[in-house]
Amino acid sequence: MHRKRTRFAARVNRVASAVERRGVVATYELHDRLLANRASRFRLARDRPRLDPVQQEILDRLRADGFATVGITDLVPDPAVWAELEANAARFRAETQAGLAEETEGGDSALRRRPGKEFVVRKYAYGVKLGLEDPWLRLGVEPRLLDLANEYLGLWSKLEYVDLWYTPPGDEADRRSSQRWHRDFNDRHLLKAFLYLVDVDEETGPFEYVPRSAPGGELDKLWPWRPLGENYPPQEELAARIDGRAVTFTAPKGTLIFCNTSGFHRGGFATGKPRVLATFTWDSPASLKALSERNYVFDEGDELVGARRYALT
């Protein structure tokens, strides 16, 4: 009798999950086609930013290949911005290293990690309250970045995620979780940025990306992106299909990588040196309505208008 009840409960859970899944997918598609994203596209059409040559070059490369790189000081030339970010990143790195040392000695450092991705230490993780006094949130809605994200996505985007990641070198023989090739589930309209805060070489777990694999690209039909779809294809089969097309981003500190991570990517397989970076995700309002949630709570005491306010609220 116990076995029968267990089997019935498992079946009920599967049915409930399938129903919930269909509801999420239907909600996303409705907001993408008719509701939230349609209104967001109208906002961009009504108030279109003017991109300068540096931004336009990045946009052109994103549209062609799904990725682009630029030095942060080339995109945001104010030296005070990089100085503040670098100092803040140095504190995060020092605090994380102290916490890891404490763990090695058997202590409890309370470093922020996510289940399934314990190999990454995060500055914020989820639920942190942030205002514009935080330099990373401020960079996420810096017009030089936000205007570019909005033009690429074709709508006023939402800043869904902002955080710093520290990936210590590991001794694992096999890649785990996001260290494997995958598509992000968040949205089909998605732009992510990674800002390297240390020099990154082959031993530091560099980011890797398959050009033209995002929706609309030449390779988008390889295990195509779908709402709540299967994000991780058979790894050896994918490697054979992409046939050496992947780009590996070994680069100096201060390199900013833009990419559409609904295309195939992987990273963080650090073998000899720690990788430290900041990461930002801009996606469509439909994603926040159905597929994802912000990792922060915005302190609305700050005065903002237009696309910047829209991105945070």
Side-chain angles (χ1 to χ4, degrees):
M1 179 64 73
H2 174 71
R3 180 178 293 178
K4 287 183 179 179
R5 285 202 302 268
T6 301
R7 287 177 176 174
F8 177 73
R11 181 172 178 273
V12 168
N13 286 336
R14 285 198 300 272
V15 171
S17 297
V19 170
E20 182 180 14
R21 184 188 189 90
R22 287 196 295 271
V24 169
V25 171
T27 300
Y28 173 79
E29 296 292 357
L30 180 63
H31 279 284
D32 185 22
R33 297 173 188 272
L34 297 175
L35 299 180
N37 285 2
R38 183 177 181 181
S40 181
R41 292 184 184 102
F42 176 75
R43 288 175 182 268
L44 179 69
R46 188 179 56 188
D47 189 11
R48 202 151 214 131
R50 294 183 178 180
L51 303 186
D52 68 16
V54 173
Q55 292 171 302
Q56 188 62 51
E57 182 180 354
I58 295 168
L59 179 63
D60 292 343
R61 298 205 310 258
L62 280 168
R63 287 173 171 168
D65 295 321
F67 75 89
T69 62
V70 67
I72 182 63
T73 55
D74 294 325
L75 184 60
V76 185
D78 184 350
V81 172
W82 175 237
E84 183 181 18
L85 296 173
E86 198 172 21
N88 190 287
R91 288 195 296 273
F92 167 65
R93 184 178 181 183
E95 290 166 1
T96 301
Q97 289 171 338
L100 291 171
E102 186 177 337
E103 287 183 349
T104 300
E105 295 170 0
D108 182 9
S109 66
L111 294 175
R112 294 184 175 91
R113 294 188 174 100
R114 282 175 55 191
K117 284 192 176 183
E118 290 85 358
F119 54 86
V120 176
V121 178
R122 301 162 194 263
K123 179 177 176 66
Y124 298 135
Y126 283 83
V128 64
K129 189 172 185 178
L130 297 177
L132 290 184
E133 74 282 353
D134 180 84
W136 306 104
L137 185 74
R138 198 161 64 244
L139 184 63
V141 291
E142 215 292 328
R144 303 276 295 155
L145 279 72
L146 183 60
D147 288 350
L148 179 59
N150 290 348
E151 271 295 313
Y152 175 68
L153 297 174
L155 44 71
W156 273 15
S157 65
K158 299 290 187 177
L159 180 64
E160 180 230 308
Y161 188 91
V162 54
D163 210 344
L164 272 66
W165 294 350
Y166 183 107
T167 307
D171 54 6
E172 293 86 356
D174 299 318
R175 293 174 178 268
R176 295 182 293 150
S177 185
S178 61
Q179 295 173 337
R180 302 165 63 232
W181 290 115
H182 67 287
R183 298 183 184 274
D184 282 350
F185 69 90
N186 311 54
D187 205 343
R188 64 165 57 94
H189 314 286
L190 180 65
L191 183 65
K192 186 168 283 191
F194 298 101
L195 175 59
Y196 283 172
L197 300 172
V198 294
D199 294 339
V200 173
D201 60 16
E202 292 287 355
E203 293 186 326
T204 320
F207 178 70
E208 296 178 86
Y209 187 77
V210 179
R212 300 179 294 283
S213 62
E218 174 190 350
L219 303 177
D220 72 341
K221 291 183 172 55
L222 293 179
W223 297 274
W225 186 94
R226 294 187 179 92
L228 297 183
E230 294 296 329
N231 298 334
Y232 289 82
Q235 297 293 291
E236 291 184 3
E237 189 176 347
L238 175 66
R241 297 286 294 276
I242 62 178
D243 191 25
R245 298 191 190 194
V247 177
T248 299
F249 294 87
T250 54
K253 179 170 71 170
T255 298
L256 185 61
I257 305 165
F258 289 101
C259 54
N260 184 338
T261 53
S262 57
F264 285 114
H265 62 287
R266 66 181 184 179
F269 193 59
T271 57
K273 305 172 188 175
R275 188 187 72 168
V276 189
L277 57 77
T279 181
F280 308 85
T281 302
W282 301 271
D283 52 21
S284 77
S287 178
L288 288 182
K289 296 288 186 181
L291 295 179
S292 64
E293 60 183 13
R294 287 190 172 96
N295 74 314
Y296 64 91
V297 177
F298 176 53
D299 180 358
E300 294 196 44
D302 298 292
E303 294 293 331
L304 281 177
V305 296
R308 298 181 75 203
R309 180 169 185 81
Y310 187 84
L312 294 172
T313 58

